[in-house]
Amino acid sequence: MVAQVIDGKAFAAKVRAQVADQVAKLKEENGITPGLAVVLVGEDPASQVYVRSKGKMTVEVGMNSYEHKLDAETSEAELLALIDKLNTDPAVHGILVQLPLPKHLNEDLVINSIDPAKDVDGFHISNVGLLGTGQKSMVPCTPLGCLMMLRDHHGSLSGMDAVVIGRSNIVGKPMAQLLLGDSCTVTIAHSRTKDLPDVVRRADIVVAAVGRPEMVPGDWIKEGATVIDVGINRIERDGKTKLVGDVDYASAAERAGAITPVPGGVGPMTIACLLANTLTACCRANKLPEPEGLTA
Ligand code: NAD
């Protein structure tokens, strides 16, 4: 079997176009422009790149982008005061604090100081609890993007066996909750899982979120399974720097029914879902119907 490639880049462009349509409608019919505030503390080069592209895409879909760049020595009190201001600013519907934060700042405390209704990353403890109990919440962007691609490919996921490799709070755990919400039978595998190949071989859906280059070889993949590769790993090969996933793409594509490439799979969906979440937060704040197909 040669796998169908799930084109995350094209899918993300479709999601962004949908968001842009809805934003235009909100402006025209309700006089409302959704606003996303992104807070960056320090000068981490990767974070700077992410923040820049988030700002650019926010503006491209017609939303207002508010960037707050604070220096690396910013105190916790200063950061919390800014978040407090954004929490009460009616022009701001989504707040994202770019992680990781410098070591002297308590990430949990900072994230939990964001108004849960504006927590477009879905990391606030209230949103984690709401998702875990199957209630309406803000859903973390990367797992939401994976879910959208899976629903688009399969229609219903009901009854499918899903294995999520990785148990992080930002990808693995919320991904498992979302798959459970769509009635999959879910296994969460991690670094202590016994006989990981055997666990993965049972799966109709494999979501790999580990951070280890090409650790899942093709012979772990059940014939016809759908493989979602969240991993983004920078490696040196043939004297060049290359991005690869957590799955060995070439061998997995020979057995899978469908697979996301790296780059061009899950990555582009993450920012598209951030914009979708900001739109959702804006609609909820204004008691307007939520955009269809853009939430869990
Ligand atoms: P993390 O380091 O927080 O978690 C990794 C998880 O993998 C852990 O739960 C650990 O138990 C598990 N693990 C480690 N070694 C393992 C092994 N040998 N076998 C099985 N499980 C093992 O990472 P994360 O933040 O969840 O990110 C995972 C990957 O996804 C990274 O490559 C990251 O860059 C990528 N990522 C991509 C996006 C995106 O937008 N595409 C977003 C977030 C993360």
Side-chain angles (χ1 to χ4, degrees):
M1 174 172 277
V2 177
Q4 180 186 331
V5 180
I6 299 178
D7 185 345
K9 207 172 155 192
F11 198 103
K14 214 169 85 181
V15 171
R16 290 198 307 274
Q18 237 174 305
V19 172
D21 271 0
Q22 296 283 332
V23 169
K25 229 186 250 170
L26 266 180
K27 282 186 190 175
E28 202 183 301
E29 293 173 10
N30 307 88
I32 299 164
T33 304
L36 172 64
V38 177
V39 180
L40 173 65
V41 188
E43 264 134 45
D44 179 68
S47 294
Q48 284 179 327
V49 173
Y50 291 139
V51 166
R52 212 173 304 130
S53 77
K54 282 169 187 169
K56 185 170 159 269
M57 291 199 185
T58 303
V59 171
E60 272 172 18
V61 296
M63 295 182 183
N64 290 327
S65 166
Y66 308 102
E67 278 181 29
H68 295 269
K69 292 185 179 157
L70 308 179
D71 62 53
E73 281 76 43
T74 300
S75 69
E76 206 159 79
E78 284 171 304
L79 179 57
L80 293 178
L82 170 63
I83 293 173
D84 215 31
K85 214 171 101 202
L86 298 172
N87 280 341
T88 53
D89 184 342
V92 172
H93 303 96
I95 302 169
L96 181 149
V97 176
Q98 185 66 44
L99 301 179
L101 287 172
K103 289 212 163 44
H104 68 283
L105 299 170
N106 179 335
E107 254 175 37
D108 286 338
L109 184 80
V110 170
I111 296 304
N112 289 325
S113 73
I114 297 172
D115 176 351
K118 296 189 178 187
D119 168 39
V120 282
D121 252 343
F123 296 160
H124 190 289
I125 193 75
S126 299
N127 282 315
V128 175
L130 289 168
L131 177 63
T133 49
Q135 300 179 70
K136 195 183 272 190
S137 64
M138 295 306 305
V139 177
C141 303
T142 300
L144 178 59
C146 297
L147 183 75
M148 282 185 187
M149 290 193 285
L150 284 166
R151 282 180 177 168
D152 183 67
H153 184 73
H154 286 285
S156 169
L157 308 180
S158 181
M160 295 180 86
D161 281 318
V163 170
V164 179
I165 319 175
R167 56 175 161 182
S168 72
N169 290 336
I170 63 166
V171 190
K173 283 185 203 154
M175 185 74 245
Q177 298 284 8
L178 289 172
L179 291 166
L180 199 57
D182 270 28
S183 301
C184 291
T185 302
V186 183
T187 304
I188 305 176
H190 47 79
S191 52
R192 305 290 174 91
T193 296
K194 282 188 204 150
D195 202 356
L196 184 61
D198 204 44
V199 171
V200 175
R201 277 188 196 112
R202 293 199 294 264
D204 304 310
I205 293 171
V206 180
V207 180
V210 183
R212 289 177 179 254
E214 299 172 332
M215 74 160 266
V216 179
D219 70 357
W220 291 12
I221 304 297
K222 178 162 108 175
E223 197 72 35
T226 300
V227 178
I228 305 289
D229 192 351
V230 181
I232 301 177
N233 308 290
R234 207 170 287 277
I235 61 160
E236 295 291 323
R237 186 169 288 161
D238 305 328
K240 284 186 194 149
T241 307
K242 207 176 167 240
L243 283 188
V244 297
D246 291 340
V247 176
D248 176 38
Y249 184 85
S251 61
E254 283 175 19
R255 291 174 62 92
I259 187 167
T260 59
V262 178
V266 176
M269 285 299 288
T270 297
I271 296 188
C273 287
L274 172 67
L275 304 175
N277 276 351
T278 305
L279 174 63
T280 300
C282 177
C283 291
R284 286 180 186 167
N286 289 285
K287 306 211 169 2
L288 294 166
E290 289 180 20
E292 261 174 52
L294 297 177
T295 52

